[in-house]
Amino acid sequence: MTTAGRRAALAATLIGALAATVLPAGAAGAATGTDRAARPSCRSVDSVPLDREQARTADPRTAALTERGGFGDFVRRFPAALCGARTAAQAGRLVDAWGEALWRAGVDRAQGHRPGGDLPAPDDRPLYWARVAMTVRLDRWQPVFTADKAALRERFEDASRGLGDSGFRGRPGVRRIFVSGFDPFGLDAELRRANPSGSAALQLDGRRVTLADGTPAEIQAVLFPVRYGDFDRGIVERAFAPKLARGHRSADLITTVSQGYPGLFTLEAWAGRNRSADPYTDNAGVLSGGTRQNPATAPGLGPGAEFIATSLPTGPMTAVQQPFPVKLNTTVTEIPAGASAPVDRADGPTPGSRAVNGGGGGYLSNEVAYRTNRLRLEVAPQLPGGHLHTPVLTGLPAEPDRLTGPEFEQNEAAITGEVLDILRHTAG
């Protein structure tokens, strides 16, 4: 069995164990407070500082979202599982397995294959808050052996976002579409926010669909954090590079998806190279270092043009107009050649200009489009690729203690359903 196969099998075992309310293998002896006191590897230090994203778990609504989505056991049992690790290598395998099990449980729930809780199946928030709570447990865990906690967290994050999935099946005649979504964001203003791009990714991962021309297609998906640091460390390239490598398991089309504008979908004609969203922070409270007047290039970004044009079949995709209109967005913001001030343009960039905003602005939704398509042009320039913005998901109840409501759920279903319809129109 391959490494990926072993990890998938272990993840499946974990899901089954959690569903049956049985502790994962090796954790049973660490289940009680007495055992924890007797075993130093079970030590947890509550004084370990949390980042801005993790600190939001102090709000009881985050635990309620986790529990009502059926992910509470993942959070409760993860510390005991960590206590079962006796070496750094074991710890690495453990976080891989738990991350993949969490991802698979999130996908299965979104697609109606895993019952759990009373929140609607497509809701992306339970998976998000379970992941954040589990990173708190990982950061506070104090093993008796030397462990690179940052590396372990990165492995857990990657696995719990779908990066460890086995990929396309590579069946002849089946078109392969690779998409990405995002976590919820803007949570300081409204903690209950969801992200329809994340919900769509969970509903689409691993699905077999029929395109508008009758061609069968397989969709694979990943979810990205709304954090500059993860982008700086190459999470986008780690996710997309294997899907762009030549072979019968590579993608035939890629598109990134994020939440964009009220009331409509937009296909972004241009992705800009630079960040310019400050003073708007990411989920960890971090600034990008780039503003409209002084855009900044992300650390570690490979060589590429200031602007990259979409190569998606925008004509067929914008033919979808229900329940929300779909438009091709050609606007950009640039600093023209020889100038120092930014200029908004409705018809794309001019030669020699510096990118300020792509069609998706100067935040991470623009950057994910640029990074994936820069890589596509370097590795597989013949592939179609681009970015889709969904409408803003609205409809949360006015009462802050109510986590969901009919309008919110109807809007989420309408948006994510149309994402699939738009993808079906990438045929040919």
Side-chain angles (χ1 to χ4, degrees), residues 236 240 244 254 256 367-376:
V236 174
F240 274 80
L244 293 173
I254 62 169
T256 49
E367 186 169 327
V368 75
Y370 185 90
R371 283 181 178 272
T372 54
N373 284 283
R374 190 209 68 80
L375 185 64
R376 175 183 62 80

Side-chain angles (χ1 to χ4, degrees), residues 46-382:
D46 292 344
S47 61
V48 171
L50 304 181
D51 63 35
R52 176 92 160 261
E53 189 170 33
Q54 293 172 323
R56 296 189 186 99
T57 59
D59 190 308
R61 292 175 296 176
T62 67
L65 284 164
T66 301
E67 291 292 340
R68 292 180 60 184
F71 291 104
D73 277 344
F74 275 95
V75 179
R76 282 186 290 272
R77 296 166 189 267
F78 190 44
L82 289 169
C83 290
R86 291 293 175 264
T87 66
Q90 287 181 2
R93 291 191 295 271
L94 185 144
V95 297
D96 288 345
W98 277 77
E100 289 185 17
L102 182 63
W103 170 254
R104 185 46 47 198
V107 169
D108 287 346
R109 184 181 186 279
Q111 297 181 16
H113 306 313
R114 181 182 190 270
D118 64 346
L119 291 176
D123 198 326
D124 65 312
R125 297 173 297 172
L127 173 62
Y128 170 73
W129 286 113
R131 182 191 299 111
V132 175
M134 290 172 77
T135 67
V136 172
R137 274 61 172 181
L138 178 59
D139 286 354
R140 287 178 168 172
W141 170 57
Q142 299 295 309
V144 294
F145 52 85
T146 301
D148 185 338
K149 299 286 282 296
L152 287 174
R153 179 168 173 180
E154 184 172 279
R155 288 178 68 163
F156 173 75
E157 289 270 358
D158 280 7
S160 67
R161 296 178 176 280
L163 274 71
D165 253 4
S166 57
F168 295 107
R169 297 175 181 88
R171 292 173 179 165
V174 178
R175 191 165 169 81
R176 299 175 297 276
I177 300 173
F178 190 56
V179 303
S180 66
F182 271 107
D183 288 347
F185 65 99
L187 300 169
D188 288 332
E190 174 52 84
L191 189 78
R192 298 172 296 166
R193 280 182 177 154
N195 193 323
S197 73
S199 175
L202 291 170
Q203 292 179 65
L204 293 172
D205 184 58
R207 281 187 62 179
R208 180 84 170 261
V209 301
T210 301
L211 303 183
D213 66 352
T215 304
E218 178 188 353
I219 302 175
Q220 293 288 336
V222 292
L223 268 179
F224 287 130
V226 183
R227 296 189 298 249
Y228 288 114
D230 295 76
F231 275 53
D232 294 347
R233 292 187 293 274
I235 189 171
V236 174
E237 289 78 6
R238 290 198 303 277
F240 274 80
K243 302 301 188 296
L244 293 173
R246 291 185 181 275
H248 69 287
R249 293 182 182 270
S250 63
D252 295 311
L253 179 145
I254 62 169
T255 185
T256 49
V257 187
S258 65
Q259 182 176 233
Y261 308 101
L264 80 160
F265 282 87
T266 55
L267 280 165
E268 305 306 338
W270 298 95
R273 181 171 175 81
N274 301 311
R275 297 172 174 173
S276 59
D278 294 356
Y280 193 83
T281 59
D282 68 5
N283 273 352
V286 174
L287 293 169
S288 74
T291 66
R292 180 179 168 89
Q293 288 70 33
N294 294 289
T297 302
L301 190 61
E306 286 293 303
F307 290 96
I308 297 176
T310 185
S311 58
L312 290 172
T314 56
M317 295 172 78
T318 54
V320 179
Q321 291 293 311
Q322 294 295 332
F324 298 95
V326 183
K327 297 184 178 180
L328 179 64
N329 180 23
T330 60
T331 62
V332 299
T333 303
E334 65 176 13
I335 298 175
S340 58
V343 175
D344 297 326
R345 293 187 57 84
D347 55 353
T350 57
S353 66
R354 177 166 169 75
V356 178
N357 287 345
Y363 196 46
L364 289 169
S365 57
N366 168 77
E367 186 169 327
V368 75
Y370 185 90
R371 283 181 178 272
T372 54
N373 284 283
R374 190 209 68 80
L375 185 64
R376 175 183 62 80
L377 290 175
E378 180 181 288
V379 178
Q382 76 286 356

